[in-house]
Amino acid sequence: MSMWDISNNTNIRADVQAENITSAGFDIVFRTWADTQVARVRVAWTSIGELANDDGWELY
């Protein structure tokens, strides 16, 4: 999340996931539960493309 405005009167509980992923796009889904009070959130992302395999990470 790149910004959140959440009350500190209760515990802060949040989950952010990408769902419905296709080559054309995806949905960013924000969930909270219990008594968490949210005014607003903002999510930013970077697309890096698919790796050839799960061990294909090389950091430079």
Side-chain angles (χ1 to χ4, degrees), residues 4-45:
W4 67 355
D5 184 358
I6 298 180
S7 172
N8 65 357
N9 291 330
T10 61
N11 290 325
I12 298 171
R13 301 171 183 94
D15 177 45
V16 178
Q17 294 185 20
E19 295 184 357
N20 304 318
I21 301 167
T22 69
S23 60
F26 61 96
D27 296 329
I28 297 175
V29 180
F30 173 82
R31 293 183 179 94
T32 187
W33 57 96
D35 57 355
T36 301
Q37 299 173 343
V38 179
R40 62 185 161 219
V41 297
R42 180 182 307 133
V43 178
W45 69 93

